[in-house]
Amino acid sequence: MPLLIINEDDFESAVKRARLAAVQGDAEAQNNIGSMYYTGHGVAQNYVEAEKWFRLAAVQGHATSINNLGKMYYKGQGVVQNYAEAVKWFRLAAAQGDAESQYNLGVMFHKGEGVAQDYAEAMKWLRLAAAQGDVRAQNNIGSMYYTGHGVAQNYVEAEKWFRLAAVQGHATSINNLGKMYYKGQGVVQNYAEAVNWFRLAAVQGDAKSLFHLGGLYFEGKGVVQDFVHAHMWFNLAAASGDITAVKLRDIVETLITSQQIAEAQQMASDCKQKNFKGCE
């Protein structure tokens, strides 16, 4: 029962209809009301109210609400945090084929939260979610193969899974592919290709890709060496909280003039205002 909002009157009318349907036992409407309280969309944010409505739908077998309850127990929102209880709800939704719950179970088995740590079980649930196109699951599988965490290290397999998520626009996976091209892991080393992937993630504001672009401009790999652009990208990464980027930006400042520093700072400001698009 999606709420199609056109104006304030329509919104209020839609909420009234949703509440009426929810009170009458419509599980989808109950989930929608819960989501509104959870996000604070149109109502004051209230996790306790959100939990109440999610539970009403969950006991009817509504998979999304069951997963939402699991998340609330995982985060301790509206309920006392309880990983074991989160696992219980995620299992119920995962059994219905809910991809997000399958992913959540995979993460919990990988970390040993609410269950004994079990990499094989983690991989099982992540693969089920990944088969449904869940980009986080695909990226996590890629990371397990990349690090050899719970499986035999295999860069070719890692690249395959990162690419599956990357082509769907998943910034972390795009950055991971860029790193593999930079290092020549699972692919032929190609700095220019690394730059291409880092740029794709950078336009999403991905801090690691902003940092890597700064490094490539600093080194002159895949691009013409340019300390002004290196400063710009390091500055943007630093603004996103990357401590190493701060140190490297400061090093770059010793290699360029004060006028170039001012130019790089203006470029970074303009780039951020343009949401990281068209920055070069």
Side-chain angles (χ1 to χ4, degrees), residues 191-209:
Y191 294 135
E193 191 69 9
V195 169
N196 289 337
W197 286 106
F198 289 142
R199 281 175 174 159
L200 285 173
V203 298
Q204 296 187 47
D206 182 73
K208 290 182 179 178
S209 289

Side-chain angles (χ1 to χ4, degrees), residues 104-279:
N104 290 334
L105 275 178
V107 170
M108 295 189 80
F109 273 107
H110 191 271
K111 294 181 177 179
E113 295 175 329
V115 290
Q117 190 174 53
D118 187 330
Y119 294 132
E121 193 71 7
M123 181 65 83
K124 181 189 85 173
W125 289 110
L126 289 173
R127 283 187 181 277
L128 287 170
Q132 297 192 62
D134 189 293
V135 292
R136 297 168 304 168
Q138 292 167 344
N139 180 71
N140 282 19
I141 293 172
S143 294
M144 290 176 75
Y145 277 113
Y146 185 84
T147 60
H149 203 180
V151 293
Q153 189 178 55
N154 187 323
Y155 290 141
V156 173
E157 274 295 300
E159 188 273 342
K160 180 187 82 173
W161 287 102
F162 287 148
R163 190 176 294 274
L164 284 171
V167 296
Q168 296 182 69
H170 188 253
T172 301
S173 295
I174 295 170
N175 174 71
N176 288 337
L177 264 185
K179 287 195 299 181
M180 297 193 80
Y181 275 105
Y182 179 82
K183 296 179 179 179
Q185 296 170 323
V187 294
V188 176
Q189 188 177 52
N190 187 324
Y191 294 135
E193 191 69 9
V195 169
N196 289 337
W197 286 106
F198 289 142
R199 281 175 174 159
L200 285 173
V203 298
Q204 296 187 47
D206 182 73
K208 290 182 179 178
S209 289
L210 297 172
F211 173 81
H212 291 315
L213 281 172
L216 286 164
Y217 272 103
F218 183 80
E219 296 176 314
K221 291 180 176 177
V223 290
V224 176
Q225 188 177 51
D226 186 330
F227 292 149
V228 173
H229 274 85
H231 187 288
M232 177 193 76
W233 289 117
F234 284 143
N235 207 14
L236 289 167
S240 298
D242 192 307
I243 297 174
T244 305
V246 175
K247 295 177 181 177
L248 290 175
R249 179 198 62 195
D250 292 346
I251 290 173
V252 172
E253 289 189 354
T254 68
L255 304 174
I256 57 179
T257 67
S258 58
Q259 183 177 352
Q260 288 174 314
I261 292 171
E263 179 188 358
Q265 290 171 336
Q266 185 61 53
M267 288 166 57
S269 177
D270 292 343
C271 181
K272 197 167 185 179
Q273 288 183 8
K274 294 186 293 185
N275 292 320
F276 306 100
K277 296 177 176 63
C279 298

Side-chain angles (χ1 to χ4, degrees), residues 14-181:
V15 171
K16 288 179 181 177
R17 292 197 302 274
R19 280 190 179 276
L20 178 60
V23 170
Q24 293 175 344
D26 185 300
E28 186 69 19
Q30 291 167 342
N31 182 70
N32 285 347
I33 296 294
S35 296
M36 291 173 65
Y37 277 112
Y38 185 84
T39 61
H41 187 195
V43 295
Q45 189 178 54
N46 188 323
Y47 291 139
V48 174
E49 275 294 301
E51 187 273 341
K52 180 185 80 174
W53 289 103
F54 287 147
R55 189 176 295 273
L56 286 170
V59 296
Q60 297 187 65
H62 190 268
T64 302
S65 293
I66 295 170
N67 176 68
N68 287 339
L69 262 186
K71 289 194 294 184
M72 297 192 80
Y73 275 107
Y74 184 83
K75 297 178 180 179
Q77 296 170 323
V79 294
V80 176
Q81 187 179 52
N82 188 324
Y83 289 147
E85 191 70 9
V87 168
K88 182 188 83 173
W89 289 103
F90 288 146
R91 282 189 185 277
L92 288 172
Q96 293 188 46
D98 183 76
E100 186 173 356
S101 288
Q102 291 168 343
Y103 165 77
N104 290 334
L105 275 178
V107 170
M108 295 189 80
F109 273 107
H110 191 271
K111 294 181 177 179
E113 295 175 329
V115 290
Q117 190 174 53
D118 187 330
Y119 294 132
E121 193 71 7
M123 181 65 83
K124 181 189 85 173
W125 289 110
L126 289 173
R127 283 187 181 277
L128 287 170
Q132 297 192 62
D134 189 293
V135 292
R136 297 168 304 168
Q138 292 167 344
N139 180 71
N140 282 19
I141 293 172
S143 294
M144 290 176 75
Y145 277 113
Y146 185 84
T147 60
H149 203 180
V151 293
Q153 189 178 55
N154 187 323
Y155 290 141
V156 173
E157 274 295 300
E159 188 273 342
K160 180 187 82 173
W161 287 102
F162 287 148
R163 190 176 294 274
L164 284 171
V167 296
Q168 296 182 69
H170 188 253
T172 301
S173 295
I174 295 170
N175 174 71
N176 288 337
L177 264 185
K179 287 195 299 181
M180 297 193 80
Y181 275 105

